[in-house]
Amino acid sequence: FHYRVYFSKVDELQFVAHLDFHRMIQRLLKAADLPVAFSQGFSPHAKLSIGPPLSIGVQGLNEFFDFALTKFVDKNEMFDRLKAIFPHPLGINGVDFLGNKKANNVSDFNIEELKVVFPKEFKEQIKAQMEKWNNSEKWIYSRTRKGKVKEYDLKEIVKIMTLKENILLIKKKLVGGSFFNVAEEVFGFERDDLIGWEIIRTNILINKFESKR
């Protein structure tokens, strides 16, 4: 019996790494006294998968995780159980019963929407760079992974980027580069410069016309 839980991960939880958060969810499911299904074999593990990872320092308003139970539990009862034990600032937004099959796999989700609130003192700098961005057909940058350098076009990764006062609204692919790459390559801010910025993933989507991971 497969379920999907929608949740928010905000405030200090933005600094909890993906693997640590995975272990946290496992403990919460156990605390909720849910009959979680486990894999078989030499090293059994809970049938649990969390949606696309959030970078350290990024909050999420509409994240999800999938898991399987050995017995049916009504989704409303599950919502109440999880809500009672989810520690602040981990919020539960909803529960879907997926039946006996998984819904879309985590790897099917390939688009994210971001809201970035930055200090107003940087507004003119960001506005100037946004004009260059809007007037450019390509924006090439390189990443080094496993000793190999690969070039990417941020224009192919970032589908939409708009500026409203001191807020950036971004719709981008999940692969090829994070917001921190955008901040550095487009606006000239390194990760350590972003203290005081609020980076929020507001949604994760499936675009069937984009290649999957």
Side-chain angles (χ1 to χ4, degrees), residues 12 16 24 32 37 39 65 86-87 104 111 113 115 128 180 192:
E12 60 264 32
V16 176
M24 175 182 174
S39 63
F65 64 84
F86 268 27
N104 304 103
I111 297 290
E113 295 178 335
K115 177 182 177 182
F180 296 104
D192 291 343

Side-chain angles (χ1 to χ4, degrees), residues 123-158:
K123 182 178 176 181
E124 292 305 315
Q125 178 181 345
I126 290 175
K127 183 179 179 181
Q129 288 303 109
M130 278 295 299
E131 290 182 6
K132 294 180 181 179
W133 171 266
N134 291 331
N135 292 325
S136 300
E137 292 185 1
K138 293 185 177 183
W139 203 287
I140 305 297
Y141 85 108
S142 61
R143 297 171 72 185
T144 302
R145 286 196 168 184
K146 297 181 179 179
K148 295 182 179 180
V149 179
K150 186 173 181 179
E151 288 191 341
Y152 296 86
D153 182 2
L154 277 177
K155 282 284 188 172
E156 291 293 321
I157 298 168
V158 178

Side-chain angles (χ1 to χ4, degrees), residues 41-173:
F42 181 74
S43 179
H45 58 273
K47 292 184 177 181
L48 166 68
S49 59
I50 300 180
L54 285 162
S55 298
I56 296 291
V58 178
Q59 303 178 68
L61 296 185
N62 195 30
E63 306 299 302
F64 71 88
F65 64 84
D66 295 348
F67 66 104
L69 299 182
T70 58
K71 297 179 182 179
F72 174 78
V73 175
D74 181 78
K75 68 176 186 179
N76 295 318
E77 177 186 348
M78 184 183 298
F79 179 91
D80 291 339
R81 285 200 207 180
L82 293 176
K83 184 178 181 180
I85 63 169
F86 268 27
H88 179 78
L90 180 63
I92 181 168
N93 301 334
V95 176
D96 280 344
F97 174 57
L98 306 178
N100 294 324
K101 279 188 173 183
K102 287 186 178 181
N104 304 103
N105 292 323
V106 170
S107 59
D108 292 332
F109 290 82
N110 50 16
I111 297 290
E112 63 179 354
E113 295 178 335
L114 302 171
K115 177 182 177 182
V116 181
V117 184
F118 57 85
K120 292 183 178 180
E121 62 193 88
F122 301 122
K123 182 178 176 181
E124 292 305 315
Q125 178 181 345
I126 290 175
K127 183 179 179 181
Q129 288 303 109
M130 278 295 299
E131 290 182 6
K132 294 180 181 179
W133 171 266
N134 291 331
N135 292 325
S136 300
E137 292 185 1
K138 293 185 177 183
W139 203 287
I140 305 297
Y141 85 108
S142 61
R143 297 171 72 185
T144 302
R145 286 196 168 184
K146 297 181 179 179
K148 295 182 179 180
V149 179
K150 186 173 181 179
E151 288 191 341
Y152 296 86
D153 182 2
L154 277 177
K155 282 284 188 172
E156 291 293 321
I157 298 168
V158 178
K159 298 301 183 182
I160 300 173
M161 183 159 62
T162 58
L163 174 64
K164 296 182 179 180
E165 296 299 326
N166 65 315
I167 298 174
L168 282 168
L169 298 175
I170 300 171
K171 185 174 184 178
K172 59 176 286 294
K173 291 182 182 180

